Amino acid sequence: MKPVGIVTGMLAEAECVSAAKAPHTIFCAAGSPGRARIGALNLVEEGAGKIVSFGIAGALDPAHRPGDIVLASHVEDHAGHRFPTDPAWRQELATSYRHIGSVTEAPIITTEGAVADVRDKATLFHRTKAVAVDMESAGAAAAALENGVPFLAIRVIADTSTFALPHCALVGLDEDGSTRPVTVLAHLAARPWEFVALLKLTWASKIAMSCLSRVASVGF
């Protein structure tokens, strides 16, 4: 059996995949669609038979809450290009994941940077109809489709559409996908009013990460 190639944004998301029983290989793209594409290409070259973009996402649709699972019907990039996902595979996993929690099959969009502002989230939702936003899926999708490999994006909501990401959280990811707590704390010291928002984001992210682990334990 060929392994499933899994592209994440953060090392913490990659650690959730440890619960998966099926053979898999992982690449951490650290919030970059360009790195995600290169990583997915490498995974295919190493023998991956499928590609999954796996991790947390921000909600654009006001109906979604932390812990909701989104299986992308297609992924759109910042230029408006659309990449379809494998429908049969998606529907199979949607059925498997429904005992975990809410599962939605709907479009997601990949951006070059975090969409932090509530108004920007609303604008993106109304323009694209995407229910969630991430920073890796379109790159991974492009690489998979270039090579005729089935692709799926599995995302769990962390921040809601009505939550503005604090600035201190936007500097917390290193290029290898690890977190930078010292940098976050330094920015928080200069912007102490963001403390409550950071706590709320930490809580929501823990819910999302717990759901990701349960998804991985069910399998791909």
Side-chain angles (χ1 to χ4, degrees):
M1 177 187 297
K2 288 187 176 182
V4 176
I6 300 174
V7 177
T8 71
M10 299 184 291
L11 290 179
E13 295 163 336
E15 290 170 1
C16 292
V17 185
S18 63
K21 299 177 179 64
H24 59 270
T25 52
I26 301 175
F27 178 84
C28 189
S32 166
R35 282 195 293 268
R37 179 178 177 277
I38 293 170
L41 287 172
N42 290 339
L43 293 175
V44 171
E45 289 177 0
E46 292 168 4
K50 298 178 178 179
I51 294 293
V52 174
S53 174
F54 181 80
I56 62 175
L60 300 179
D61 184 345
H64 287 296
R65 316 306 301 170
D68 287 353
I69 302 166
V70 179
L71 301 181
S73 56
H74 70 260
V75 177
E76 184 173 334
D77 68 12
H78 70 284
H81 301 117
R82 294 186 175 188
F83 306 94
T85 59
D86 187 282
W89 184 20
R90 184 180 73 242
Q91 290 160 18
E92 177 186 352
L93 291 188
T95 300
S96 299
Y97 296 158
R98 284 201 171 96
H99 77 277
I100 298 174
S102 172
V103 179
T104 300
E105 298 177 61
I108 68 173
I109 187 165
T110 297
T111 55
E112 297 282 347
V115 182
D117 186 78
V118 171
R119 287 176 297 181
D120 291 340
K121 292 181 180 183
T123 298
L124 200 56
F125 178 52
H126 290 298
R127 179 171 64 82
T128 67
K129 307 305 178 187
V131 302
V133 57
D134 70 15
M135 293 187 290
E136 295 88 23
S137 291
L145 295 175
E146 285 172 18
N147 288 275
V149 174
F151 169 77
L152 195 60
I154 304 170
R155 292 284 159 168
V156 175
I157 298 300
D159 54 294
T160 65
S161 65
T162 57
F163 180 80
L165 294 173
H167 182 269
C168 61
L170 303 180
V171 298
L173 189 64
D174 214 334
E175 289 189 358
D176 65 352
S178 62
T179 56
R180 301 190 294 185
V182 174
T183 302
V184 172
L185 290 175
H187 279 72
L188 185 60
R191 305 167 67 91
W193 59 87
E194 293 187 338
F195 179 70
V196 172
L198 184 61
L199 283 181
K200 290 180 178 178
L201 180 61
T202 301
W203 170 80
S205 296
K206 285 183 178 179
I207 292 174
M209 290 295 186
S210 176
C211 185
L212 279 177
S213 293
R214 294 197 299 274
V215 165
S217 68
V218 171
F220 307 110

